[in-house]
Amino acid sequence: MSRFQGQNAIVTGAGSGIGRAIALRLAVEGAQVVVNDLNAEAAKCTVGSIKALGYTGSAAPGDVSDPEDMNAIFDQCEREFGTCHILVNNAGIAQQTPFKDLNVDDWDKMINVHLRGCFLGCRRALETMVDHRSGSIINIASQLGQIGGVELSHYAAAKAGIIGLTKSLAREVSQHGVRVNAVAPGPINTELVMKLSEDWRREKAGELPLGTFGEPEDVAATVAFLASDDARLYVGQTLGPNSGDVML
Ligand SMILES: NC(=O)c1ccc[n+]([C@@H]2O[C@H](COP(=O)([O-])OP(=O)(O)OC[C@H]3O[C@@H](n4cnc5c(N)ncnc54)[C@H](O)[C@@H]3O)[C@@H](O)[C@H]2O)c1
C-alpha cells in the first residue's frame, strides 16, 4: 500500500506507544514522516525503526506546548521534505489524581500538553494547508473526553477540549480543502495506560464489551484511514477504536 506516497507527515509524541505506531504506519504507506517527541532518544529510535524498514523519517525533538518548538518541528519538515500534508497531534501525558488533590500546576500541565499542543500544531499546519487547499489534521483525543473518568478530570477536560477544537476547526477550514478529525481511543496497551492504577485497569477491562484493551496498531489503522482519501467525507468526526466502551 502506498496511499501516502509523495506526502509529508508530522506525528507528535511518536517516540513510543500510539504515536510510534502511527509514524510507522504512515511511513510504510509511503509518507515521509517527521517524528516528534519530548524524549529525543525515543524519537530517534522510532526513526531508526522506520529506516530499518526501508522508509523515510526524521527526528524532531521538542515540546509540543512550546510555540517555538512547534514552529521548529514544522520548519524542519519544510526544510527536509517539504510542506506538511498530514499532521497527527498525538503527544500526551497521563496522571491519576482525585479532584480534591488536583493542583494548578497539574491542571495547567495537562491542558498545555494536550490542548495547547493541539492548538499550536493546528495553527502552524494551517498556515500552509489553507494556501495549498489540501491537508488532513488528526487530533488524538480519548474516550474519556466523551464519558469522563474518575480521578482523571483534568485529562478528560483536555480531551473534551480537543474534540471541541476539532469540530470548530473542521467547520472553519473545510471550505479551504483541509479536513480536521479526531480519534478517541479506548484503553490501549501503552506505557501511558500502565501509569494508571492496576485497579483502574482491571475495572476498565471488565466494562469493555470486547473485554480487552486495544493495541497501538489499532489506533494507527484508524488514523491512516482518516488521513487517506478513503475518508474524504469525514470532517469534524471523532472515531472511536475503543473496544466498545463508548457507542455513539
Ligand atoms: N494508551 C491509551 O489507553 C490511550 C487512550 C486514549 C487516548 N490516548 C492518547 O494517545 C496519545 C498517545 O498516548 P500513548 O498511550 O501512546 O502514551 P505514551 O506515553 O506511550 O506516548 C506518549 C508520548 O508523548 C510524548 N510526550 C509527552 N509530552 C510531550 C510533549 N510536551 N511534547 C512532545 N512529546 C511529548 C512522550 O515522551 C511519549 O513518547 C496521548 O495523547 C494519549 O492521551 C491514549
Side-chain angles (χ1 to χ4, degrees):
M1 280 195 293
S2 54
R3 288 189 288 185
F4 306 121
Q5 203 70 48
Q7 296 195 41
N8 307 318
I10 295 174
V11 185
T12 68
S16 70
I18 293 170
R20 178 182 159 85
I22 293 168
L24 281 160
R25 175 75 189 242
L26 296 180
V28 167
E29 290 205 48
Q32 307 191 100
V33 183
V34 172
V35 174
N36 157 264
D37 205 283
L38 194 57
N39 179 337
E41 280 312 306
K44 276 190 211 155
C45 180
T46 298
V47 171
S49 301
I50 288 173
K51 290 186 173 169
L53 291 168
Y55 301 100
T56 310
S58 174
D63 178 350
V64 293
S65 66
D66 180 330
E68 284 183 16
D69 283 8
M70 186 59 81
N71 283 336
I73 296 164
F74 278 79
D75 290 348
Q76 181 172 328
C77 180
E78 286 161 9
R79 208 170 46 245
E80 294 186 14
F81 300 142
T83 56
C84 172
H85 303 99
I86 300 165
L87 168 65
V88 186
N89 286 309
N90 163 82
I93 54 174
Q95 184 207 22
Q96 200 174 359
T97 310
F99 186 73
K100 65 178 175 46
D101 300 331
L102 199 53
N103 63 45
V104 171
D105 287 345
D106 290 340
W107 176 270
D108 285 348
K109 188 167 185 202
M110 192 61 76
I111 298 294
N112 282 345
V113 174
H114 292 276
L115 193 49
R116 181 179 156 107
C118 253
F119 156 66
L120 292 173
C122 291
R123 191 177 65 159
R124 183 59 175 79
L126 288 169
E127 281 178 24
T128 53
M129 287 180 177
V130 166
D131 284 348
H132 289 101
R133 296 198 59 77
S134 79
S136 175
I137 297 176
I138 295 138
N139 297 322
I140 304 300
S142 163
Q143 114 275 24
L144 297 180
Q146 298 168 312
I147 59 173
V150 175
E151 300 183 350
L152 290 161
S153 53
H154 52 342
Y155 181 84
K159 293 305 196 181
I162 287 174
I163 293 171
L165 170 70
T166 300
K167 289 179 182 173
S168 300
L169 213 47
R171 290 190 185 279
E172 201 167 319
V173 301
S174 302
Q175 60 185 313
H176 301 296
V178 182
R179 290 186 304 105
V180 187
N181 289 287
V183 176
I188 305 295
N189 285 318
T190 69
E191 279 173 33
L192 181 140
V193 101
M194 294 308 285
K195 286 180 188 143
L196 306 179
S197 69
E198 213 178 313
D199 284 350
W200 187 92
R201 280 183 272 125
R202 193 178 44 250
E203 277 169 32
K204 182 49 82 178
E207 290 169 11
L208 300 174
L210 275 187
T212 55
F213 286 16
E215 298 302 325
E217 291 72 21
D218 296 314
V219 182
T222 307
V223 170
F225 165 68
L226 282 175
S228 77
D229 289 341
D230 293 335
R232 70 186 186 91
L233 296 186
Y234 286 72
V235 170
Q237 301 298 311
T238 300
L239 298 193
N242 61 26
S243 307
D245 203 15
V246 178
M247 300 184 190
L248 296 176

